[in-house]
Amino acid sequence: MKHYSVTILIGIFSMLLTLPAQAIGLYQAVVSPKPNAGEYSSINEAIQKAPDDNSTYSVFIKPGLYNEQIIINRNNVHLIGSGKDKTIIAKAIAAGMKGENGKNIGTSGSRVVEINGTDFTAQSLTIRNDFDYLANDIKAKDDPSRIRQTQAVALLLGKQSDRSAFYDVSLEGFQDTFYSKGGRSYFNHSRISGTVDFIFGNGLVVFDNSDIVARYRPNKELPIGYLTAPSTNDKQAFGLVFINSRLIKEDDRIPAASYALGRPWHPTTTFQDGRYADPSAMGSTTFINSEMDDHIYGWDRMHGKDINGQPIWFTPENGARFSEYKNYGSGASIQGYRPQLTDNEATKFTIKNMLDGWQPIFASNQKTSVKGHVSAHLMTFPAQVTLIDQYGKNITTTTDKNGVYQLEIEGFIPPFIVSASEENTDCLSNNTLRGICMTAFYTPKKAQLDKNIHININPITDLILSDLAVDASYLGSQQVVSKTTTPIAFSATEYNASMARFHQGFNKSLMSLGLTEEFDPAQYQPQLHKRFSKVTKWLWTNRNYHTKIGEVADSTLMDRFFNPLLVPNLDGQVPEFDLNATLAKQKQADNAPHRIFIIGDSTASIYPEAVAPRMGWGQVLQNNFEPSKAQVINGAQSGRSSRSYYNQGWFRYLSSMMRPNDYLLIQFGHNDEKCNEASKGRGPHDVANTCTYPNNDNGDIQAPKGEDAFSFQRSLEVFVHYAQSHKVTPVLLTPVTRVKNAKGKTGFPVASGHITKQNKDSGFAYFGDYIQTVKDTAKANNIVYLDLEARTIELANELGEPDWKSYWLAVDSAVYPYYKNRTGRLDKPDTTHFQEKGANAVAKLVIEEIKKQPELQELISSLHK
């Protein structure tokens, strides 16, 4: 039910469909090498489809090997991989290869990925130059297949690039792996590997908490290679800076003192008076607080050409600006030429200062204060709040007694998932009583994270994250909270559509409270909370249940009277939540002399128009009563047994509304019967989460020792005893019949079917008659029961073929396309659930049975005349 057409929504709420300048974690395009798994099969194709403006354009790249050469000239492009070991962009290119013009392509031409735009980001992917450097290295010098120019660039940041940020990225190659020609860039939690000058250029690059990996070259005299070759302009204060990083070896074959920290590169440049080594290229490389393995030996020299074309050597002492500060490990030293920064000099090497005020979204020094309100009706405080970043880093706190929380975070990578739960609650649980659990999704609305942000958690934010999660193939929002794989990435289209549904459904109520059409339920300011809470106090949220795998699933949002909210109708429109109408409904319920509460399963529950004409009998029971005399509050929920209805918290919601002299209609059975542990796939999940066992033929309780909750009678008695202790009248109803004969086949005469028997797989621990157990429970507790199974059997047999299909769910899928590929169409009828005619008929049968019960005579006076 969570994937809707958004065409109408987008038309109405186009103002919401412009993303923030840098919406990290939301993507506009999906690439996958697998057929039909993404919009595009190549990254280049996705980049070419980017809008012509400079709006944010994020591409989610699913796992795979992408054999492409990619050039990005557009600003604000973001590449989101599925993990650096899963998403790999690779191509075999070397400088000595020939281009279309027959000439060598050169170092810049050998790049796999080139960035020429500003505000580029990449995360969780590998960019690799697959040129076989080692195989070429061992070829004889006179081998015609041997390539002389072996530079092979993985990533090139062009002169026009600036503010490029990388997180969880691996750059792999041998010689000249990473080439920065200009602008500012930042790497965090990344990996760069190579041999000769594999990090080079005149750009300003900060490597933070990253691995710099020296690769093995067999049969080579020392030195084997050089980590850096900066060509920083002498007017530029910073060049290649490594902080809190690790200088490590690919493997133990790499000998000690075989790699230099760097050497000064003075690129041969054309000037008015000739072509020679650029004298202004006073390369700058600095290593700060970094671990160095024993392969490191210090700095080295590099040759260039003088004005006469003759070789000239540039030494670390006179051709560069090399320095270190508080490094450690077997390769760290202050002996020889290893210039060290003073404490005062080191203070200049802050991320903010080096990057001239630019704060990358992935910055490790990013400190943020997070505040927010947790608001849900009936939620007990203090509650536990956990914030999780895009890569699973998390921090937990508790709210105060008003649901307000505050967190101080550092180095967390957005977007954020924030979850709130009542204390001692397992939010994934279905087989023990689950407290209230909610979530929220936060993505920055601008290019960097503010020092103070607000993330509020409420039933609406929970539904929005649930929509995003389902669209991204999770069962629901709780699986996002519990996930171990990274990164977290969601569809921008689905985010906008979910926000649009919220505004279409709630704008009328929001504006009546003085809240604007741009109101964000997750990021609103604290001064707006009092107003917004006037809406959230009338909402329920809960997790659905995935029957096939036994886990909590997507979220559902309802008003206080269990009407589904934010579900588009058949025309794609989202019905409005009318706060004033809800207040009036509550007043009417408060003033009604008689109130009838219903708990049960899908045969009684309320359905949105999207699944019309499906309808539960509880949905129409109110039609039989004078509204001023009796109010029906239907809390029945699809897919629930008596045990799961209680454990999943539905009864907690409904019971909070009860008062003395109310009536509670209790009807379960269909889902309680799911006790066949041998059932393929779902059997063990059914037994763990849904099943209750009927009494035996002698009327005795059947359940595992010490686990009375697995008894159908004891499970029903949870509701019965609650009602009795609160002076509410409990009424048991047997479950309605399925249109099946004595052999369990669709057909006539319809016979009693709520009986389980042992099968050849011995799948049932206990078995028996559920109808009789309802009657046993009523007798044991001296309460009324209504035999709806017997009455609906009579109804079905009176109707016969083909008339029964106009009562139970058997519709023309051409008229109701929702059922095109679902049970409930004419050629595949649903023998359990009703359409409108059947729901009304069963509601009438309930009324007829009520009239027969002396204990319920007070209700008869409330019926329509």
Side-chain angles (χ1 to χ4, degrees):
M1 285 302 301
K2 295 298 180 186
H3 294 281
Y4 314 114
S5 169
V6 299
T7 304
I8 294 175
L9 299 177
I10 289 175
I12 295 175
F13 294 98
S14 59
M15 54 98 174
L16 286 172
L17 302 177
T18 301
L19 281 173
Q22 191 150 336
I24 297 296
L26 293 173
Y27 54 80
Q28 284 79 18
V30 181
V31 180
S32 175
K34 295 181 179 179
N36 303 317
E39 296 172 86
Y40 306 105
S41 59
S42 76
I43 300 167
N44 271 313
E45 185 183 5
I47 297 299
Q48 290 165 7
K49 296 294 184 181
D52 292 334
D53 58 19
N54 285 323
S55 61
T56 296
Y57 187 70
S58 298
V59 181
F60 179 52
I61 311 169
K62 291 188 175 182
L65 175 61
Y66 297 86
N67 185 26
E68 302 183 57
Q69 188 174 34
I70 300 166
I71 301 173
I72 298 176
N73 296 318
R74 185 188 186 278
N75 297 340
N76 291 310
V77 172
H78 310 305
L79 301 183
I80 307 169
S82 301
K84 63 176 181 288
D85 297 325
K86 297 178 181 179
T87 298
I88 301 170
I89 305 168
K91 200 168 183 67
I93 324 169
M97 293 179 176
K98 304 297 182 185
E100 293 180 358
N101 60 4
K103 297 180 180 180
N104 290 351
I105 60 176
T107 301
S108 296
S110 72
R111 78 286 193 219
V112 176
V113 174
E114 178 180 349
I115 307 302
N116 294 310
T118 61
D119 299 298
F120 171 84
T121 68
Q123 56 191 115
S124 299
L125 53 81
T126 289
I127 302 172
R128 186 176 73 208
N129 194 313
D130 273 343
F131 170 65
D132 197 339
Y133 182 88
L134 298 182
N136 186 77
D137 212 21
I138 62 174
K139 290 180 179 179
K141 290 186 178 181
D142 58 354
D143 186 335
S145 67
R146 188 174 191 269
I147 292 177
R148 271 62 180 173
Q149 297 178 23
T150 55
Q151 298 90 340
V153 176
L155 174 65
L156 167 62
L157 297 181
K159 294 179 181 179
Q160 302 304 315
S161 67
D162 191 28
R163 299 186 300 273
S164 301
F166 302 82
Y167 188 90
D168 191 37
V169 167
S170 180
L171 305 181
E172 298 179 11
F174 285 90
Q175 183 175 356
D176 291 4
T177 304
F178 171 46
Y179 186 4
S180 177
K181 283 189 172 183
R184 294 162 291 176
S185 58
Y186 174 82
F187 288 78
N188 187 9
H189 198 69
S190 292
R191 183 179 188 271
I192 299 89
S193 62
T195 53
V196 178
D197 305 332
F198 60 93
I199 300 173
F200 72 111
N202 65 354
L204 195 170
V205 189
V206 176
F207 300 90
D208 191 355
N209 188 32
S210 293
D211 291 337
I212 311 304
V213 185
R215 304 190 71 175
Y216 178 63
R217 292 176 71 193
N219 306 317
K220 285 294 177 183
E221 295 181 0
L222 301 184
I224 289 177
Y226 315 88
L227 305 188
T228 69
S231 58
T232 323
N233 186 276
D234 57 7
K235 292 183 175 60
Q236 183 174 311
F238 305 99
L240 308 177
V241 183
F242 302 79
I243 55 177
N244 305 317
S245 292
R246 292 156 297 280
L247 280 54
I248 58 179
K249 300 183 290 188
E250 183 178 49
D251 59 50
D252 290 336
R253 293 176 296 172
I254 298 175
S258 58
Y259 269 84
L261 291 171
R263 56 182 183 167
W265 179 37
H266 291 250
T268 302
T269 307
T270 300
F271 298 95
Q272 288 184 348
D273 57 348
R275 182 172 171 77
Y276 48 89
D278 185 357
S280 64
M282 295 297 288
S284 175
T285 297
T286 302
F287 291 89
I288 297 175
N289 195 37
S290 293
E291 181 180 5
M292 299 180 177
D293 211 337
D294 67 358
H295 63 300
I296 298 299
Y297 67 83
W299 308 94
D300 213 323
R301 64 178 186 168
M302 189 173 190
H303 69 79
K305 291 182 179 181
D306 66 14
I307 195 167
N308 299 313
Q310 297 301 309
I312 183 173
W313 287 97
F314 295 95
T315 65
E317 294 86 350
N318 63 19
R321 293 167 288 166
F322 293 151
S323 58
E324 301 177 64
Y325 183 72
K326 292 188 177 180
N327 297 313
Y328 58 96
S330 53
S333 174
I334 59 173
Q335 304 301 317
Y337 187 73
R338 301 286 290 265
Q340 304 292 311
L341 297 172
T342 66
D343 289 345
N344 184 56
E345 288 171 332
T347 61
K348 298 177 182 178
F349 286 79
T350 64
I351 291 175
K352 182 177 181 181
N353 188 50
M354 288 188 290
L355 297 178
D356 195 24
W358 169 51
Q359 180 77 0
I361 199 75
F362 301 137
S364 66
N365 70 330
Q366 198 158 242
K367 295 182 179 180
T368 301
S369 178
V370 184
K371 297 180 181 179
H373 276 90
V374 180
S375 53
H377 186 60
L378 297 186
M379 194 167 194
T380 55
F381 299 111
Q384 180 175 290
V385 173
T386 300
L387 183 146
I388 307 167
D389 83 348
Q390 192 174 15
Y391 287 87
K393 186 176 180 180
N394 63 81
I395 184 171
T396 297
T397 188
T398 55
T399 70
D400 64 16
K401 64 181 182 180
N402 297 312
V404 177
Y405 75 94
Q406 181 171 349
L407 288 164
E408 304 300 326
I409 60 175
E410 181 174 0
F412 278 61
I413 308 300
F416 301 141
I417 304 297
V418 188
S419 66
S421 60
E422 292 178 299
E423 290 186 334
N424 303 315
T425 290
D426 179 359
C427 292
L428 287 171
S429 173
N430 283 298
N431 55 21
T432 57
L433 182 58
R434 186 175 72 227
I436 296 173
C437 303
M438 298 186 299
T439 59
F441 173 74
Y442 172 88
T443 185
K445 293 188 174 182
K446 54 185 180 180
Q448 64 185 42
L449 207 55
D450 287 336
K451 291 183 178 180
N452 297 285
I453 63 174
H454 294 89
I455 310 177
N456 304 294
I457 311 167
N458 50 66
I460 293 169
T461 64
D462 188 62
L463 182 66
I464 290 171
L465 179 56
S466 176
D467 289 346
L468 292 173
V470 171
D471 181 73
S473 299
Y474 295 95
L475 292 180
S477 59
Q478 205 60 48
Q479 282 72 20
V480 179
V481 172
S482 306
K483 80 192 292 284
T484 57
T485 56
T486 54
I488 297 170
F490 297 121
S491 164
T493 300
E494 179 58 34
Y495 175 78
N496 290 323
S498 188
M499 286 291 287
R501 288 192 287 271
F502 159 63
H503 277 277
Q504 189 174 11
F506 281 90
N507 264 3
K508 180 179 179 180
S509 295
L510 293 176
M511 295 180 75
S512 72
L513 297 170
L515 301 173
T516 68
E517 293 183 353
E518 292 81 18
F519 181 82
D520 187 324
Q523 298 188 38
Y524 65 82
Q525 295 296 308
Q527 63 269 24
L528 301 179
H529 178 71
K530 187 175 182 180
R531 277 182 272 177
F532 187 51
S533 64
K534 292 180 180 180
V535 171
T536 57
K537 69 178 291 186
W538 294 102
L539 306 179
W540 301 127
T541 184
N542 208 340
R543 307 285 193 260
N544 288 313
Y545 173 67
H546 197 287
T547 57
K548 291 184 178 180
I549 61 175
E551 291 189 21
V552 296
D554 56 320
S555 299
T556 187
L557 181 70
M558 301 159 292
D559 67 16
R560 188 76 68 85
F561 302 100
F562 296 89
N563 295 296
L565 298 175
L566 301 188
V567 181
N569 59 26
L570 297 176
D571 296 323
Q573 297 283 345
V574 175
E576 287 183 348
F577 169 80
D578 190 327
L579 179 59
N580 291 328
T582 301
L583 295 173
K585 171 74 173 176
Q586 183 64 52
K587 184 177 181 180
Q588 192 173 41
D590 289 342
N591 293 333
H594 299 114
R595 305 187 322 161
I596 304 161
F597 291 84
I598 303 172
I599 60 174
D601 57 31
S602 55
T603 60
S605 61
I606 300 172
Y607 291 97
E609 186 185 330
V611 300
R614 182 166 168 166
M615 191 173 288
W617 65 263
Q619 194 169 348
V620 295
L621 187 65
Q622 179 69 63
N623 298 341
N624 296 277
F625 291 95
E626 291 281 356
S628 61
K629 296 180 179 179
Q631 282 286 305
V632 174
I633 299 167
N634 181 17
Q637 296 296 314
S638 298
R640 271 61 181 188
S641 67
S642 58
R643 182 161 68 94
S644 66
Y645 188 90
Y646 180 81
N647 283 339
Q648 293 171 19
W650 296 103
F651 188 64
R652 176 185 178 186
Y653 287 160
L654 186 113
S655 63
S656 71
M657 304 170 69
M658 293 181 187
R659 68 189 184 201
N661 301 317
D662 285 341
Y663 295 84
L664 177 63
L665 306 189
I666 308 165
Q667 184 189 48
F668 291 101
H670 283 91
N671 299 299
D672 291 80
E673 299 166 19
K674 296 174 180 177
C675 297
N676 180 13
E677 193 163 18
S679 179
K680 187 176 180 180
R682 61 180 287 174
H685 304 305
D686 285 340
V687 173
N689 300 308
T690 305
C691 156
T692 64
Y693 297 107
N695 295 346
N696 64 21
D697 290 343
N698 296 321
D700 299 324
I701 298 294
Q702 296 188 115
K705 186 176 181 179
E707 298 187 77
D708 277 4
F710 281 84
S711 157
F712 186 37
Q713 176 171 330
R714 292 290 184 253
S715 188
L716 292 174
E717 286 175 341
V718 169
F719 310 118
V720 171
H721 294 165
Y722 177 91
Q724 291 174 329
S725 67
H726 288 78
K727 299 181 180 180
V728 172
T729 301
V731 179
L732 288 171
L733 287 76
T734 58
V736 298
T737 191
R738 300 181 181 95
V739 185
K740 293 183 179 293
N741 57 30
K743 294 182 179 181
K745 303 292 184 182
T746 301
F748 296 87
V750 173
S752 180
H754 294 286
I755 301 170
T756 54
K757 299 178 181 179
Q758 190 57 278
N759 54 32
K760 62 180 181 179
D761 300 315
S762 299
F764 291 90
Y766 307 95
F767 45 88
D769 189 334
Y770 284 83
I771 301 300
Q772 185 57 49
T773 302
V774 174
K775 297 174 181 178
D776 292 345
T777 305
K779 182 178 180 181
N781 291 276
N782 193 30
I783 62 172
V784 169
Y785 77 88
L786 312 181
D787 195 352
L788 260 288
E789 190 209 37
R791 294 303 310 272
T792 51
I793 288 174
E794 292 174 8
L795 173 65
N797 285 328
E798 287 174 5
L799 292 170
E801 289 283 6
D803 291 347
W804 75 274
K805 293 182 179 180
S806 62
Y807 285 71
W808 276 261
L809 194 59
V811 300
D812 185 348
S813 59
V815 179
Y816 299 102
Y818 175 82
Y819 294 94
K820 183 177 181 180
N821 297 307
R822 291 179 170 89
T823 299
R825 59 185 190 268
L826 289 171
D827 60 329
K828 192 179 180 180
D830 182 338
T831 60
T832 302
H833 300 102
F834 305 106
Q835 50 187 300
E836 185 175 5
K837 197 171 183 179
N840 278 304
V842 175
K844 294 289 187 185
L845 295 177
V846 172
I847 297 302
E848 290 177 10
E849 290 301 299
I850 287 174
K851 290 178 177 179
K852 296 177 183 178
Q853 308 299 327
E855 299 90 337
L856 304 179
Q857 289 305 299
E858 283 192 14
L859 286 177
I860 296 174
S861 63
S862 300
L863 294 170
H864 279 302
K865 302 301 182 184

